[in-house]
């Protein structure tokens, strides 16, 4: 330390070691007037498991940050971070977040967490990931993680949205995986995306709950109905969707798991704000 620096000057204010870090927006893609994704820098110290969520936000004029929970949509190995977001016109955060541009700063919490992780499930043969709307985000992470394919023989991702345009993110992403250098060969013959719409005409229509109950999901996929001996499931969507799909899992004999007590299915609310 130089003599000048120690000459009775106050130490510079230290950044809060537990507070969010400031990350740079690298790209933004808008899918519909309700949905977009963005990618940001990732600090080297930021560790997470594919499927977890973290607080994301923007600084507020009064200095207090405005943060909301977001699933990380990129896999754990990725050097960047990806997020998939709804745009709520009067949402305190998303009304502003939807305007971000490359080069802008966003705040990133330091403590990712969550139950939609492979470690919260007991081993099985087939993994279902049931999602609606932005509930696809944690699965966008898990389908890009080689660990998913090392643990399961078959991976079935279901995504149900109001209209066809809202399926763009999941469809584009899953399509791109066959040429992915890391998981390209692993997804072949193992990974299936099963989409449906509920409000716009589409080749397949209906809520996922209906498609499970009437057996169409299993008939279309050519697999047996849910069986706790072979099947594992992750559920992410609105509170109502989770409750309804969860009831069907319990009815099929599957038990809910957690990080502390892994079992046959796990749930997480899709975040919005
Ligand atoms: P629906 O159009 O019949 O409400 P949202 O964009 O509102 O989050 O909805 C995403 C998708 O989730 C929609 O297709 C919606 O169907 C469906 N959905 C809403 N509630 C449930 C539920 N309780 N169980 C299953 N699917 C649901």
């Amino acid at each position: 330390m130089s003599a000048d620096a120690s000459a009775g000057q106050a130490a510079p204010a230290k950044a809060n070691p537990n507070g969010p870090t400031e990350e740079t927006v690298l790209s933004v893609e808008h899918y519909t007037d309700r949905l977009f994704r963005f990618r940001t820098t990732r600090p080297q110290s930021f560790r997470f498991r594919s499927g977890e969520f973290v607080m994301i936000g923007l600084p507020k004029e009064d200095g207090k940050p405005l943060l909301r929970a977001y699933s990380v949509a990129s896999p754990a190995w990725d050097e960047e971070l990806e997020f998939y977001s709804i745009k709520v016109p009067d949402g305190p955060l998303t009304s502003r977040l939807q305007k971000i541009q490359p080069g802008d700063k966003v705040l990133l919490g330091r403590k990712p967490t969550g139950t939609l992780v492979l470690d919260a499930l007991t081993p099985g043969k087939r993994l279902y990931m049931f999602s609606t709307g932005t509930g696809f985000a944690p699965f966008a992470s898990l389908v890009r993680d080689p660990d998913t394919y090392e643990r399961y023989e078959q991976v079935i991702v279901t995504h149900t949205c109001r209209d066809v345009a809202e399926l763009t993110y999941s469809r584009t992403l899953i399509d791109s995986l066959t040429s992915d250098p890391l998981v390209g060969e692993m997804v072949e013959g193992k990974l299936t995306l099963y989409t449906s719409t509920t409000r716009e005409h589409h080749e397949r229509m209906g809520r996922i709950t209906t498609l499970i109950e009437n057996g169409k999901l299993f008939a279309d996929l050519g697999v047996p109905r849910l069986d706790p001996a072979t099947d594992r499931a992750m559920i992410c969507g609105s509170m109502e969707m989770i409750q309804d799909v969860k009831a069907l899992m319990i009815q099929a004999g599957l038990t809910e798991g957690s990080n502390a007590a892994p079992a046959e299915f796990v749930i997480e609310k899709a975040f919005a704000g």
Side-chain angles (χ1 to χ4, degrees):
M1 193 185 283
S2 76
D4 281 344
S6 60
Q9 288 177 358
K14 274 208 185 115
N16 177 357
N18 298 317
T21 58
E22 226 179 47
E23 301 307 320
T24 306
V25 176
L26 300 171
S27 62
V28 184
E29 192 172 349
H30 292 268
Y31 296 102
T32 69
D33 56 4
R34 287 206 322 143
L35 296 164
F36 73 113
R37 77 157 184 168
F38 58 97
R39 290 178 71 86
T40 72
T41 50
R42 172 181 178 177
Q44 274 199 338
S45 58
F46 187 81
R47 298 259 171 274
F48 70 103
R49 295 178 295 170
S50 297
E52 287 189 320
F53 66 87
V54 66
M55 302 305 282
I56 283 286
L58 291 170
K60 271 201 312 193
E61 285 78 33
D62 65 8
K64 265 186 80 187
L66 179 60
L67 296 156
R68 291 282 183 276
Y70 271 86
S71 289
V72 183
S74 47
W77 55 262
D78 200 330
E79 281 175 17
E80 300 172 3
L81 295 172
E82 182 170 315
F83 300 96
Y84 183 52
S85 178
I86 192 118
K87 307 176 203 176
V88 183
D90 53 1
L93 178 61
T94 63
S95 60
R96 290 175 53 210
L97 195 63
Q98 64 179 285
K99 299 188 187 123
I100 54 170
Q101 304 278 349
D104 288 352
K105 300 286 183 199
V106 294
L107 302 174
L108 172 74
R110 290 185 201 250
K111 293 200 176 82
T113 182
T115 42
L116 297 181
V117 291
L118 296 168
D119 286 342
L121 294 172
T122 48
K125 179 177 167 192
R126 193 176 291 117
L127 175 62
Y128 285 93
M129 301 180 189
F130 295 111
S131 70
T132 54
T134 54
F136 175 73
F139 305 143
S141 172
L142 283 157
V143 294
R144 289 185 265 189
D145 192 326
D147 215 13
T148 303
Y149 307 100
E150 275 154 20
R151 294 195 195 203
Y152 294 93
E153 285 173 30
Q154 196 176 5
V155 179
I156 297 158
V157 184
T158 82
H159 192 204
T160 305
C161 291
R162 297 179 185 186
D163 55 48
V164 179
E166 293 185 343
L167 296 170
T168 309
Y169 179 56
S170 56
R171 288 183 154 180
T172 319
L173 175 67
I174 303 264
D175 274 354
S176 74
L177 291 184
T178 46
S179 53
D180 186 277
L182 192 63
V183 296
E185 280 179 17
M186 299 175 127
V187 301
E188 213 144 309
K190 263 197 177 185
L191 173 67
T192 309
L193 175 67
Y194 185 89
T195 55
S196 68
T197 52
T198 49
R199 302 192 192 183
E200 184 188 358
H201 190 76
H202 175 56
E203 57 205 10
R204 191 181 301 117
M205 292 194 67
R207 286 184 170 196
I208 191 61
T209 39
T210 310
L211 299 167
I212 294 173
E213 276 180 302
N214 66 18
K216 185 168 164 48
L217 170 70
F218 311 107
D220 286 348
L221 294 169
V223 296
R225 277 176 177 263
L226 291 166
D227 179 349
T230 50
D231 298 333
R232 300 292 171 263
M234 295 179 161
I235 309 168
C236 192
S238 65
M239 222 53 226
E240 296 74 30
M241 177 273 193
I242 291 174
Q243 290 313 319
D244 292 351
V245 179
K246 174 177 163 166
L248 294 172
M249 297 301 116
I250 291 170
Q251 202 177 309
L254 278 72
T255 310
E256 185 175 352
S258 66
N259 278 292
E264 290 144 3
F265 77 91
V266 281
I267 65 172
E268 201 116 78
K269 172 176 150 294
F271 309 102

